[in-house]
Amino acid sequence: MVVNNMESVKIYLSGGMGNLSFEEQSKWRNQVINAIKFNGYDYEKKPIFFNPVDHYNFTDVRYRTEREVMEYDLNALRHSDLVIVNFNDPKSIGTAMELMLAKELHIPVIGWNPSNEHLHPWLAECTTRLCDDLREAVEHVVDFYLN
């Protein structure tokens, strides 16, 4: 019997949701997952993704309170090794709270700002590396966190 001894890296996918359609919430997250898993990258550590949209979203309401959603997501973040953030909604309170928690727990945050909107300095300070685009963020994650 062959046992896979590959270490894993738990990656939390953070970004705005409340002001975006289900498609906008999901598309970039799926692009990140697919880019890392299926673009032929060689990596030593297995990425395991937590996509909040898969658990709670505004289309398929399966929750009773926003607190339930917040606690679930923040618990997943606490158990993550890395956060990838898309600043697709720089005014997202949830994203800001996730990044502050990651900073407090010393979890690295890799992100990009596709609209080039002004980021509050505290959001930028909670981001370990701010990349120019999704491609650069994916390559950085593979090079520095999966190898």
Side-chain angles (χ1 to χ4, degrees), residues 81-97:
D81 302 303
L82 178 67
V83 174
I84 297 177
V85 62
N86 179 352
F87 289 107
N88 54 355
D89 181 6
K91 293 178 176 49
S92 168
I93 298 299
T95 301
M97 292 179 75

Side-chain angles (χ1 to χ4, degrees), residues 53-64:
V53 180
D54 289 343
H55 303 278
Y56 289 106
N57 63 66
F58 305 113
T59 303
D60 178 23
V61 178
R62 299 185 302 163
Y63 55 90
R64 291 190 180 176

Side-chain angles (χ1 to χ4, degrees), residues 58-83:
F58 305 113
T59 303
D60 178 23
V61 178
R62 299 185 302 163
Y63 55 90
R64 291 190 180 176
T65 67
E66 285 295 327
R67 180 178 180 166
E68 176 186 343
V69 177
M70 179 184 74
E71 294 291 347
Y72 188 84
D73 288 352
L74 293 180
N75 185 58
L77 191 144
R78 281 183 198 95
H79 293 91
S80 296
D81 302 303
L82 178 67
V83 174

Side-chain angles (χ1 to χ4, degrees), residues 20-147:
L20 304 171
S21 70
F22 179 78
E23 183 176 331
E24 290 169 317
Q25 296 170 23
S26 300
K27 184 177 179 181
W28 75 265
R29 288 175 169 94
N30 291 328
Q31 287 173 330
V32 167
I33 293 168
N34 290 335
I36 290 174
K37 289 173 80 173
F38 304 117
N39 266 4
Y41 290 112
D42 242 352
Y43 41 80
E44 298 171 10
K45 299 173 187 167
K46 178 185 176 186
I48 299 173
F49 298 94
F50 180 83
N51 179 352
V53 180
D54 289 343
H55 303 278
Y56 289 106
N57 63 66
F58 305 113
T59 303
D60 178 23
V61 178
R62 299 185 302 163
Y63 55 90
R64 291 190 180 176
T65 67
E66 285 295 327
R67 180 178 180 166
E68 176 186 343
V69 177
M70 179 184 74
E71 294 291 347
Y72 188 84
D73 288 352
L74 293 180
N75 185 58
L77 191 144
R78 281 183 198 95
H79 293 91
S80 296
D81 302 303
L82 178 67
V83 174
I84 297 177
V85 62
N86 179 352
F87 289 107
N88 54 355
D89 181 6
K91 293 178 176 49
S92 168
I93 298 299
T95 301
M97 292 179 75
E98 290 169 348
L99 297 189
M100 188 64 219
L101 180 59
K103 180 171 179 46
E104 286 296 303
L105 295 174
H106 305 285
I107 299 171
V109 175
I110 309 304
W112 73 100
N113 183 3
S115 64
N116 289 318
E117 278 190 57
H118 173 74
L119 290 182
H120 189 284
W122 287 19
L123 288 176
E125 289 301 318
C126 287
T127 307
T128 309
R129 178 167 178 145
L130 190 56
C131 299
D132 292 332
D133 54 31
L134 181 146
R135 182 191 54 74
E136 180 188 347
V138 164
E139 289 176 359
H140 184 76
V141 167
V142 170
D143 289 345
F144 288 88
Y145 296 95
L146 298 179
N147 282 314

